[in-house]
Amino acid sequence: MAPTLPDQPTWALDVLGALDAGILLLDRHCRVLYWNGWMEQASTLPARELLGHDLFDALPNLRESRLHSAVRDTLATGAPGVLSHTLNPMLFPLRLPDGRRMVHNVLIRPLPSQPHSHGGDARCLIQVTDVTASVNRERVLREQRDARYRAIVDTAPDAIVTTDTRGMVQWMNGTATRQFDYRPDELIGHSVRVLLGDDAPDWIAMAEGSGPGSPCGLDIAARPVELSGRRRDGSAIDLELSMARWESEGRSFITGILRDITERRRAREELRASALAMRQLAEQTKATLDALPAFIAVLDRSGHIVSVNRAWAEAGPEPSFLGQGCIVGDDYLRHCGRGETVDPRADTVMDGLRTLLRDGGPPVSAEYVTNSQRWFRCLAAPMPAGPFGGTVLMHIDVTEIKSMEAALRKLVGQKSTLLREVNHRVKNSLQLVSSLLTLQTLSLPDERVRVHFQDARSRIEAIARVHNRLYQADQFQTIEFGTYLNELCEDLARASGGGDMCDIAVRSEVVDLPIDHAAPLGLIANELITNAVKHRGDAPAKVTVTFRRERDRLALTVADRGPGLPSNFDIRKSRSLGMRLISSLAGQIRASVDIDTTPKGTVFRIELPVPDAVPLLESSAAEEFGG
């Protein structure tokens, strides 16, 4: 006979049927006493087919399941039971209205026995709760949270690789796939050794020092390790590895952060090489300073010595140059204030050095002589960028140089005297030749022949006048051509009969010309003025001579008011000795000759480039240095 549900108010059954949960009642034999409408809908099993029947006969898949055991325990002991979907995947076969599997929890409660029973009428109430919506909501939230975490990790600038405790890759972020040139899932299940170089430490051994125990279940390796990695194409990559071990759902994992330090290592190597080069440069500079014969010291801003070269250190305590005997740490200015020199210029050196240390400024250079008659040149230059600031100081023994300079001045003086004597004798010899030509001219009866002799004498005197200027000047390589031109015109005017025969006006700038330009240009001026006077006609000759500098050119102009030249006159085809001489001399000094012929006279314009500057010899011997 099937068990029956005790008489209950009708409203009680209506309440159980209206609940948004499954309610079923089992007797001590697991027979169904009540199966509400919610259970009918979720299981598609009508109550009439289940009432009075063993639940686990109607649902044979649940026999010997965790649900079956929990029901037996509750009926036997009276202890309630709770079965959650997370730990018990095999519960009731329930479906949602849309056909999806229902995720549910089961609560089993014992019911008290009826008053008339003798303890053999044990029953239990089973409540089934639909948690599908909450589970889905949690899953969505978890997936969103995980997606945020994955996005953060996946976009991290460093490669992140997770392996199991065997070193098999379980996951790697996007940076790792780009850094090692693998597809996202290509290395899943492969050994992490694929990403490490042959000389890299063992992944598992490095992870042995880390494990669970720190907050969040992570224990970060205390110190990153530098190692080499390997890209897909086999090329090497420098890495810095930080590791952490963690656990999830009873499993252990290892996560490694692999930072690309190729640029950092390259910069570090360059810095190390630069430091080595700087150290070598410093050593080379010190060796160079030690090899110099000069006495060199570095002073800080207060004037104390911070460094000296070998020559200074080995100079000994006896005073010679300013500051000899000072050592590192001494106050150089105080030491040199003891009056160790006899030359007042030493005070100027110290004043300049004090100003340089106090205010900065240009380098100081001065010479002084010591009691032992040794000459020194002192050079002091500021060092604003040095570690101590201050000044580098150098004393150079120039005694031998002074002796050589005195000897050279003496030699130059002797050569100056010799050159002056040579020019004087050349001038006298040319004057003698000119006098002989004059005597010879007086003995010639033919007037035309005498004219040729006078022309030759004029040319010789023009050259003699150049040597006369050199003899009178303090320098022997150039002459001031303006003064020379004035003297030449005065002599030619006197030789031509003075103001009654000719009027020569000279306008000249002060221009120094080398002797190899002055002599040809003087001869050209002599020829042009002589021709102007000679071909003056019946009236007195009026000649205007100008000489000026026009930028990078020199211009000599000789203009007269004579009868002029033919319109088709060509100096290069002229048979006149004077014109041929002018053309030849102009070619020697790279000058051009322009002729402007008018009915009232002729203008000759000689243009030539400004000659290069000529280094001058010392004009006079200085006082000989005795020492």
Side-chain angles (χ1 to χ4, degrees):
M1 176 177 172
T4 59
L5 189 66
D7 295 335
Q8 298 288 340
T10 305
W11 61 266
L13 297 177
D14 292 339
V15 170
L16 292 176
L19 290 175
D20 190 16
I23 303 295
L24 60 150
L25 185 63
L26 303 181
D27 65 6
R28 64 187 181 86
H29 299 294
C30 296
R31 288 176 295 188
V32 180
L33 299 178
Y34 179 73
W35 187 272
N36 73 344
W38 190 93
M39 287 296 295
E40 288 184 340
Q41 281 186 327
S43 65
T44 67
L45 295 175
R48 63 177 179 273
E49 295 181 5
L50 292 175
L51 294 177
H53 296 280
D54 188 319
L55 175 64
F56 299 103
D57 288 340
L59 300 173
N61 289 336
L62 297 180
R63 186 173 294 279
E64 303 303 329
S65 66
R66 180 71 183 88
L67 177 63
H68 193 184
S69 301
V71 170
R72 287 201 305 261
D73 292 343
T74 299
L75 291 173
T77 65
V82 178
L83 301 179
S84 68
H85 69 280
T86 56
L87 299 178
N88 301 278
M90 290 296 293
L91 296 176
F92 291 100
L94 305 180
R95 296 284 175 179
L96 296 171
D98 59 4
R100 291 181 294 134
R101 179 177 175 273
M102 180 187 294
V103 181
H104 55 280
N105 294 334
V106 175
L107 176 63
I108 307 171
R109 292 191 181 94
L111 292 179
S113 301
Q114 297 295 327
H116 60 272
S117 66
H118 300 286
D121 194 13
R123 292 171 297 170
C124 68
L125 176 69
I126 300 178
Q127 178 181 344
V128 181
T129 305
D130 182 6
V131 294
T132 305
S134 62
V135 168
N136 288 339
R137 184 167 57 252
E138 290 178 0
R139 179 179 55 79
V140 171
L141 292 176
R142 185 171 59 253
E143 288 177 352
Q144 290 177 348
R145 183 186 65 231
D146 293 345
R148 287 196 299 270
Y149 291 155
R150 282 196 299 272
I152 293 173
V153 174
D154 203 48
T155 58
D158 298 327
I160 302 176
V161 179
T162 297
T163 71
D164 57 18
T165 54
R166 300 173 301 160
M168 299 300 173
V169 177
Q170 304 296 308
W171 178 84
M172 56 196 301
N173 70 343
T175 303
T177 61
R178 293 188 296 273
Q179 183 168 287
F180 294 100
D181 197 22
Y182 285 96
R183 295 190 301 275
D185 299 329
E186 189 174 358
L187 292 182
I188 303 301
H190 291 76
S191 174
V192 74
R193 295 292 304 176
V194 175
L195 305 177
L196 304 180
D198 296 333
D199 57 345
D202 183 73
W203 180 272
I204 306 301
M206 288 187 292
E208 290 297 329
S210 59
S214 63
C216 303
L218 299 178
D219 185 16
I220 307 299
R223 184 175 60 184
V225 178
E226 292 189 4
L227 46 80
S228 61
R230 182 169 49 201
R231 297 187 180 91
R232 184 185 190 123
D233 59 3
S235 60
I237 178 174
D238 296 323
L239 301 171
E240 181 183 79
L241 171 62
S242 300
M243 303 187 73
R245 292 188 62 183
W246 53 282
E247 291 186 358
S248 176
E249 299 181 359
R251 295 184 61 192
S252 294
F253 298 92
I254 303 170
T255 294
I257 301 176
L258 298 160
R259 174 169 296 176
D260 185 354
I261 60 170
T262 304
E263 288 301 317
R264 185 206 297 176
R265 181 170 289 182
R266 182 185 62 80
R268 187 170 60 198
E269 292 299 326
E270 290 181 354
L271 184 61
R272 184 181 294 113
S274 177
L276 177 61
M278 290 296 293
R279 188 164 57 250
Q280 292 175 343
L281 179 60
E283 293 174 355
Q284 182 179 0
T285 302
K286 185 178 184 306
T288 302
L289 294 179
D290 286 342
L292 291 175
F295 306 99
I296 303 173
V298 177
L299 310 182
D300 62 15
R301 291 184 178 88
S302 63
H304 287 78
I305 298 177
V306 296
S307 176
V308 297
N309 72 335
R310 180 180 300 171
W312 187 301
E314 296 177 353
E318 295 183 2
S320 180
F321 62 88
L322 277 175
Q324 183 170 338
C326 286
I327 60 175
V328 174
D330 286 351
D331 186 338
Y332 179 80
L333 298 177
R334 179 179 299 177
H335 182 89
C336 293
R338 299 173 184 171
E340 298 171 352
T341 65
V342 297
D343 195 317
R345 283 175 287 187
D347 296 333
T348 305
V349 173
M350 299 309 299
D351 291 340
L353 182 58
R354 289 189 184 92
T355 303
L356 192 64
L357 289 171
R358 184 181 65 251
D359 304 326
V364 174
S365 176
E367 292 182 350
Y368 61 92
V369 62
T370 66
N371 288 329
S372 58
Q373 295 301 307
R374 304 293 297 180
W375 277 89
F376 286 90
R377 178 174 290 118
C378 176
L379 302 174
M383 291 195 311
F388 307 104
T391 299
V392 59
L393 186 66
M394 182 184 302
H395 295 279
I396 306 172
D397 190 339
V398 294
T399 305
E400 296 298 327
I401 297 176
K402 286 288 185 178
S403 299
M404 293 174 60
E405 287 178 353
L408 181 61
R409 284 195 296 268
K410 183 177 179 180
L411 180 61
V412 169
Q414 293 173 350
K415 288 186 176 180
S416 299
T417 303
L418 179 60
L419 286 174
R420 185 175 287 107
E421 182 63 23
V422 168
N423 283 305
H424 182 60
R425 293 191 180 186
V426 170
K427 186 265 298 184
N428 290 341
S429 297
L430 291 175
Q431 289 287 356
L432 178 60
V433 173
S434 176
S435 299
L436 293 175
L437 287 176
T438 301
L439 294 175
Q440 187 67 37
T441 302
L442 296 175
S443 64
L444 294 174
D446 191 343
E447 181 66 24
R448 290 178 300 175
V449 176
R450 283 203 301 270
V451 169
H452 290 303
F453 271 77
Q454 290 173 354
D455 291 342
R457 187 191 65 185
S458 175
R459 291 163 185 156
I460 292 172
E461 288 179 350
I463 298 175
R465 195 173 289 106
V466 170
H467 287 277
N468 185 52
R469 294 294 304 169
L470 291 174
Y471 164 70
Q472 295 176 352
D474 291 334
Q475 52 192 22
F476 310 107
Q477 294 171 298
T478 64
I479 67 171
E480 200 284 291
F481 194 74
T483 305
Y484 167 82
L485 194 59
N486 274 286
E487 294 180 355
L488 175 66
C489 291
E490 290 175 0
D491 291 344
L492 291 176
R494 284 195 301 270
S496 300
D500 295 336
M501 302 298 295
C502 68
D503 180 14
I504 303 176
V506 182
R507 302 183 184 90
S508 175
E509 295 180 357
V510 177
V511 179
D512 287 332
L513 284 183
I515 183 63
D516 55 352
H517 283 69
L521 197 59
L523 284 174
I524 292 175
N526 180 78
E527 291 296 325
L528 293 174
I529 297 171
T530 302
N531 284 340
V533 174
K534 185 187 300 183
H535 302 288
R536 63 183 181 274
D538 297 333
K542 292 187 178 294
V543 183
T544 302
V545 180
T546 60
F547 180 69
R548 61 171 54 92
R549 179 168 181 164
E550 300 173 354
R551 293 186 180 179
D552 58 345
R553 307 283 292 178
L554 296 175
L556 172 66
T557 304
V558 178
D560 63 60
R561 296 184 182 179
L565 295 172
S567 58
N568 60 349
F569 179 78
D570 187 350
I571 192 172
R572 293 171 298 181
K573 297 180 180 179
S574 175
R575 301 179 61 184
S576 168
L577 176 61
M579 291 299 168
R580 285 185 292 169
L581 184 60
I582 292 172
S583 179
S584 175
L585 292 173
Q588 291 180 18
I589 57 176
R590 295 182 300 162
S592 63
V593 181
D594 294 326
I595 304 174
D596 185 9
T597 301
T598 64
K600 294 184 179 181
T602 306
V603 178
F604 283 86
R605 181 179 174 87
I606 314 298
E607 281 194 11
L608 66 153
V610 175
D612 296 333
V614 178
L616 302 180
L617 293 175
E618 229 176 301
S619 59
S620 60
E623 181 182 358
E624 183 177 355
F625 168 71

